[in-house]
Amino acid sequence: MLGVGGGIAAYKAAELLRRFAESGHDVTVVPTRAALRFVGAPTWEALSGKPVTAEVWDDVHEVPHVRLGQEADLVVVAPATADLLARAAAGLADDLLGNILLTARCPVVLAPAMHTEMWQHAATQANVAALRERGVVVLDPASGRLTGKDTGPGRLPEPAQIYDACLDVLARGSQEPDLRGRTVVVSAGGTREHLDPVRFLGNRSSGKQGYALAEVAAARGAEVVLVSANAALPDPGGVRVVRVVSAEDLRQAVHKEAAGADVVVMAAAVADFRPASVAAHKIKKDDDGTVPAIALERTADVLAEVVRDRDSHGRRQVVVGFAAETGDASGTVLDHARAKLARKGCDLLVVNEVGDGKAFEVDRNEVVILGADGTSVAVPEAGKRAIAEAVWDAVAARLP
Ligand code: CTP
């Protein structure tokens, strides 16, 4: 059941509907009257293949106001406006969607979208708290450009994020979120080390795996800080994003955030070397054809430092490293990974085999999760979110 509220973001629900329909879900769309002023019934009927109405007075003999809610496996409302959140919190039933929200016994996901002032208003916050108290999953709105010139929290999360959150809820059912009350820090992306004002040494990490780890941790109830190095990805809803550029920036941000964390996951590709000095001006070509030599120096190993400090925070932190490995004459991928796990001293090492276009800038991945306790879990090729779920399963099993 896809409910659509009367906000300008209603058009984005068409993309959400398309994702559900293309992945084989049977979707009934129930817009509010106000939503139909933004996007008309023919759009929803064409995309869902079903008749669409906002009213309880159509097809009364089929008692749709009771049946639709009772039969649904999931109700998702996107966008959920301030008015819709208020009506849902109060249990009003003056249209078909209001009736469905009262009769549904399945999980309900609400994806709010409104102006920042409306989202932050005490009335809206009280409605959200009341809905969450009752077990409704209210996603946090994204931050960014709103309808007018203003920016701030209140944007509808991207349809892909709402879709993923719905699949999580469907998969988990009414299970209690297992990371609730935990604070986790995830580093993601790839660091850049400046050579001069226009050039840097970087790497191919897109940040997708780290972002998926952050999103899944938030969906499983954790408070998440994402230390993001140069990733061109939308901020995940409900996650605090700290942006960094270089290995040293990342090091400082991770240490600051790790002080209060239960879990630190180092998914970022951190530079091992940086230019020993950064030129103040753009390095120019010499007419005689000589090529400048770039002296490099080592950066700090952030993961090793997190492991070193982890018992100083008054709690036993679970620390997760990532390793991108290739096999060679001296050993297989897993030989090198076991040695790295021992060397780094973390609890878990997520091992990727790289080369041949594997792992970088792609949406799927295949990993082995090695535990310092000798365990090894092979996760066959899957989407980066599914990999993230497997990593959090391994982490959750090790939390005190
Ligand atoms: N890492 C880090 N700080 C660095 C380099 C890496 O925290 N300066 C972290 C990465 O985030 C990752 C893990 O260490 O979780 C493995 O990184 P990798 O570069 O593969 O390990 P190295 O020990 O540098 O081994 P190698 O010699 O294979 O590069």
Side-chain angles (χ1 to χ4, degrees):
M1 258 280 328
L2 171 61
V4 184
I8 185 74
Y11 74 93
K12 293 187 182 170
E15 163 72 10
L16 182 60
L17 170 57
R18 203 183 52 78
R19 280 177 185 267
F20 277 118
E22 282 178 3
S23 53
H25 294 86
D26 173 19
V27 188
T28 302
V29 182
V30 180
T32 63
R33 286 171 211 120
L36 289 174
R37 298 183 65 152
F38 285 106
V39 180
T43 299
W44 306 118
E45 291 182 347
L47 291 175
S48 69
K50 293 185 190 181
V52 162
T53 177
E55 306 300 338
V56 286
W57 304 110
D58 296 329
D59 300 318
V60 176
H61 63 286
E62 290 181 2
V63 206
H65 72 290
V66 177
R67 188 179 50 81
L68 286 172
Q70 284 175 338
E71 289 178 357
D73 298 303
L74 179 84
V75 176
V76 50
V77 182
T81 58
D83 179 68
L84 200 143
L85 292 173
R87 287 194 290 134
L92 297 189
D94 60 349
D95 64 359
L96 185 54
L97 184 53
N99 281 270
I100 285 164
L101 288 171
L102 286 180
T103 50
R105 292 294 173 268
C106 60
V108 174
V109 176
L110 304 180
M114 64 198 74
H115 281 276
T116 303
E117 292 82 351
M118 298 172 91
W119 171 249
Q120 289 173 343
H121 194 283
T124 304
Q125 287 303 307
N127 291 329
V128 169
L131 289 162
R132 284 181 174 157
E133 183 66 25
R134 283 178 218 152
V136 174
V137 178
V138 184
L139 303 179
D140 281 305
S143 276
R145 184 78 192 263
L146 302 171
T147 321
K149 288 202 172 71
D150 45 348
T151 58
R155 258 175 83 89
L156 186 72
E158 291 304 315
Q161 290 178 344
I162 302 172
Y163 175 75
D164 286 342
C166 289
L167 292 197
D168 274 345
V169 169
L170 276 172
R172 248 188 292 286
S174 53
Q175 215 179 302
E176 182 65 13
D178 58 352
L179 297 175
R180 176 156 290 164
R182 308 290 189 169
T183 302
V184 310
V185 178
V186 178
S187 72
T191 60
R192 291 179 180 177
E193 310 304 320
H194 280 289
L195 271 172
D196 69 16
V198 294
R199 302 184 180 95
F200 57 83
L201 299 179
N203 62 70
R204 288 174 54 194
S205 176
S206 64
K208 284 181 180 169
Q209 184 63 69
Y211 273 59
L213 282 155
E215 282 165 21
V216 169
R220 290 170 74 152
E223 191 149 314
V224 186
V225 184
L226 176 61
V227 178
S228 170
N230 312 299
L233 297 169
D235 285 1
V239 167
R240 182 157 64 84
V241 182
V242 178
R243 275 174 224 291
V244 297
V245 176
S246 68
E248 184 56 27
D249 297 343
L250 181 137
R251 177 190 187 205
Q252 290 179 20
V254 167
H255 285 311
K256 180 163 174 262
E257 303 299 341
D262 299 289
V263 185
V264 179
V265 180
M266 285 294 299
V270 187
D272 289 319
F273 311 101
R274 70 175 152 240
S277 64
V278 182
H281 304 287
K282 187 180 169 197
I283 302 167
K284 291 288 193 189
K285 292 188 288 291
D286 274 336
D287 290 340
D288 63 4
T290 54
V291 176
I294 299 163
L296 299 177
E297 64 183 16
R298 288 287 293 268
T299 56
D301 186 328
V302 184
L303 178 59
E305 290 180 346
V306 169
V307 168
R308 179 197 67 201
D309 296 347
R310 71 159 160 206
D311 294 324
S312 60
H313 308 305
R315 60 180 108 190
R316 165 97 198 157
Q317 229 168 33
V318 177
V319 181
V320 184
F322 271 68
E325 300 285 349
T326 56
D328 59 24
S330 67
T332 63
V333 168
L334 285 185
D335 293 337
H336 290 308
R338 273 272 163 227
K340 185 170 289 183
L341 175 60
R343 200 165 62 239
K344 299 253 181 183
C346 46
D347 299 280
L348 293 164
L349 190 72
V350 183
V351 187
N352 259 309
E353 184 175 352
V354 291
D356 303 333
K358 285 184 187 160
F360 290 113
E361 297 155 14
V362 293
D363 290 320
R364 296 176 73 77
N365 206 352
E366 182 182 340
V367 302
V368 178
I369 305 171
L370 297 181
D373 46 9
T375 55
S376 164
V377 176
V379 187
E381 195 190 320
K384 289 191 170 180
R385 257 187 107 89
I387 304 270
E389 294 279 4
V391 172
W392 288 117
D393 287 345
V395 170
R398 284 164 178 81
L399 282 166

